[in-house]
Amino acid sequence: MASFAPSPADVADIGVTGMAVMGSNLARNFARNGFKVAIHNRSVGKTEKVIDSYGTEGEFYPSESAAEFVASLQKPRVAIIMVKAGGPTDAVIDELAELMDEGDIIVDAGNALYTDTIRRESALREKGLHFVGSGVSGGEEGALNGPSIMPGGTKESYDRLGPMFEKISAHVDGAPCCTHVGADGAGHFVKMVHNGIEYADMQVISEAYDLMSKALGKGASEIGDVFAEWNKGDLESFLIEITAEVLHHQDATSGKPFVDVILDQAAQKGTGAWTVQTALSLGVPVTGIAEATFARSTSGGTAQREAARAVLPAETQQLEISDEAQFVDDLQKALYAAKLVSYSQGFDEIAAGAKEFGWDINLGDMAKIWRGGCIIRAKFLNRITEAYDRNPELALLLADEYFTAEIAKCVPAWRRVVAYAAASGFPVPVFSSTLSYYDAVRAERLPAALVQAQRDYFGAHTYQRVDTEGTFHVEWSEDRRESKQD
């Protein structure tokens, strides 16, 4: 038996089911901002814990059952789901849908695959219900104090949700870090790419740390000082800020730098892989995100790493760093350039997804709502918004006049860093892959012509010529006569 009385009917502005940390923090955020919040969890103990610990923060209406939870919501009802992705989410959606009426809204605010959101939205639309897949970024702290929120779904659902979501979101320069992203799966698609960019950002920061540690012999705290200084300039961002804090932290048990006692195996929950898989299906190169995702897989491949260490030769050069300050400055510029490429690639994927699925996504608005609350918030996001304001049809973010000038300042340093790392045997997958992409996308001609010729040779895949229109094939196994294909 629950320790609380059943909530009255038709009283709460919004409800949250799933009282783990993210769900409970989101509910508390709504309550702190003056909303009446219905809360529910499959195991009633977690609901009781929220009431016991945080019940004085605002108006909470706890329920023991899903039926009581739905009944406590004002119409049109809004119920937010904060449970494990996949089957558990589907189970909760099905349960709530049976209890709701036409026009009510179910929101999945977890990290769901956008194709699942498209499927769920279509199914609930047939029942007369609105389904909103909403990205929420900022982790536990953001959920409580103001996240970046990326809701999809219908415009009608946003009319009901928007005022509440915008109020609880982070705010930058007075503007909420929340906007209607687009129809059905658009919100979760954008959140997926956001997380992919996050992967690349974290990895390339770690590569800069690794080079300062191995090439310069700097200790963790000293490197933390460098990151703290970098956070005062163009690299100012949440991830640079917390990197400095992590590197300054000492392990209480061993007295060693905290980062030195952590096993060098990075986990992942799938959003990076989803971003890469989706980019492949859309034909969008996201090399920085892909290499960051593979870097995590490499870190976890202990059997392969042990086998490699035992037999693979390094054949490295011991290159002297004559000017340490210059090397650190080169790292700063290379890091900035690699980050810009990763963001540019991410926005390319969002644009391609919007075209593929018919979503009217404003790219400048996406940068704008990422300025606060979210993990990849950064100083230069304002510049991304300005770039898309100047040209909403911008084909490549790096081709914007501001970013062209910025990256031009970094290219020589970027090349020096990658060359040094390659000669010295230090892995820098994001530094090097983003530079390679940069050189590929600006090249007048690529070796793809030879690839296409090879494809025509073994598979009759045809090709186009540079000097005339049409599609052609060479009869390679016969007289090698070229013929124009219909």
Side-chain angles (χ1 to χ4, degrees), residues 444-468:
E444 184 174 344
R445 185 167 172 81
L446 292 168
L450 179 56
V451 172
Q452 195 62 17
Q454 293 167 335
R455 295 181 74 242
D456 188 60
Y457 189 107
F458 66 70
H461 291 295
T462 72
Y463 56 91
Q464 283 79 46
R465 297 177 59 94
V466 298
D467 52 2
T468 187

Side-chain angles (χ1 to χ4, degrees), residues 307-318 420-427:
R309 280 195 297 268
V311 298
L312 296 183
E315 299 295 339
T316 58
Q317 300 177 37
Q318 299 299 315
Y420 176 86
S424 304
F426 299 136

Side-chain angles (χ1 to χ4, degrees), residues 263-266 296-309:
L263 190 65
D264 62 334
Q265 296 178 20
R296 295 197 188 187
S297 299
T298 301
S299 75
T302 53
Q304 292 82 7
R305 292 175 65 190
E306 288 174 5
R309 280 195 297 268

Side-chain angles (χ1 to χ4, degrees), residues 238-469:
F238 173 72
L239 284 172
I240 295 291
E241 177 186 348
I242 68 167
T243 297
E245 291 192 23
V246 167
L247 291 172
H248 283 136
H249 183 60
Q250 298 291 310
D251 176 52
T253 302
S254 66
K256 296 178 180 179
F258 179 64
V259 71
D260 291 345
V261 302
I262 298 176
L263 190 65
D264 62 334
Q265 296 178 20
Q268 52 186 312
K269 291 189 175 180
T271 47
W274 293 347
T275 305
V276 177
Q277 291 162 356
T278 302
L280 287 170
S281 68
L282 293 171
V284 180
V286 291
T287 58
I289 297 169
E291 289 297 342
T293 305
F294 293 141
R296 295 197 188 187
S297 299
T298 301
S299 75
T302 53
Q304 292 82 7
R305 292 175 65 190
E306 288 174 5
R309 280 195 297 268
V311 298
L312 296 183
E315 299 295 339
T316 58
Q317 300 177 37
Q318 299 299 315
L319 301 179
E320 181 185 356
I321 298 174
S322 58
D323 188 338
E324 182 177 306
Q326 180 63 56
F327 187 81
V328 171
D329 186 65
D330 281 356
L331 278 175
Q332 180 182 19
K333 289 183 170 66
L335 179 55
Y336 186 38
K339 283 162 67 78
L340 291 180
V341 169
S342 296
Y343 278 74
S344 180
Q345 291 177 340
F347 277 92
D348 282 348
E349 183 167 357
I350 294 173
K355 183 178 181 180
E356 175 72 16
F357 297 104
W359 297 323
D360 185 20
I361 299 178
N362 185 308
L363 297 179
D365 283 351
M366 297 308 97
K368 192 173 184 179
I369 66 172
W370 289 350
R371 295 181 304 161
C374 77
I375 304 301
I376 64 170
R377 58 187 184 265
K379 178 180 179 180
F380 60 75
L381 283 165
N382 276 323
R383 297 294 191 173
I384 295 178
T385 297
E386 292 168 3
Y388 286 113
D389 284 345
R390 280 191 291 271
N391 181 7
E393 304 302 320
L394 186 63
L396 177 72
L397 180 60
L398 295 177
D400 171 75
E401 58 189 33
Y402 174 80
F403 289 107
T404 298
E406 286 296 285
I407 210 162
K409 301 173 188 174
C410 302
V411 171
W414 197 6
R415 295 195 188 283
R416 287 193 293 269
V417 166
V418 172
Y420 176 86
S424 304
F426 299 136
V428 287
V430 175
F431 273 134
S432 57
S433 66
T434 51
L435 177 58
S436 184
Y437 167 83
Y438 174 83
D439 284 333
V441 79
R442 67 173 189 82
E444 184 174 344
R445 185 167 172 81
L446 292 168
L450 179 56
V451 172
Q452 195 62 17
Q454 293 167 335
R455 295 181 74 242
D456 188 60
Y457 189 107
F458 66 70
H461 291 295
T462 72
Y463 56 91
Q464 283 79 46
R465 297 177 59 94
V466 298
D467 52 2
T468 187
E469 296 202 0

Side-chain angles (χ1 to χ4, degrees), residues 213-245:
S213 173
K214 293 175 179 175
L216 299 178
K218 289 182 177 291
S221 183
E222 192 177 4
I223 300 172
D225 292 340
V226 174
F227 277 102
E229 188 62 31
W230 286 356
N231 198 47
K232 299 175 184 178
D234 292 329
L235 288 173
E236 180 187 334
S237 64
F238 173 72
L239 284 172
I240 295 291
E241 177 186 348
I242 68 167
T243 297
E245 291 192 23

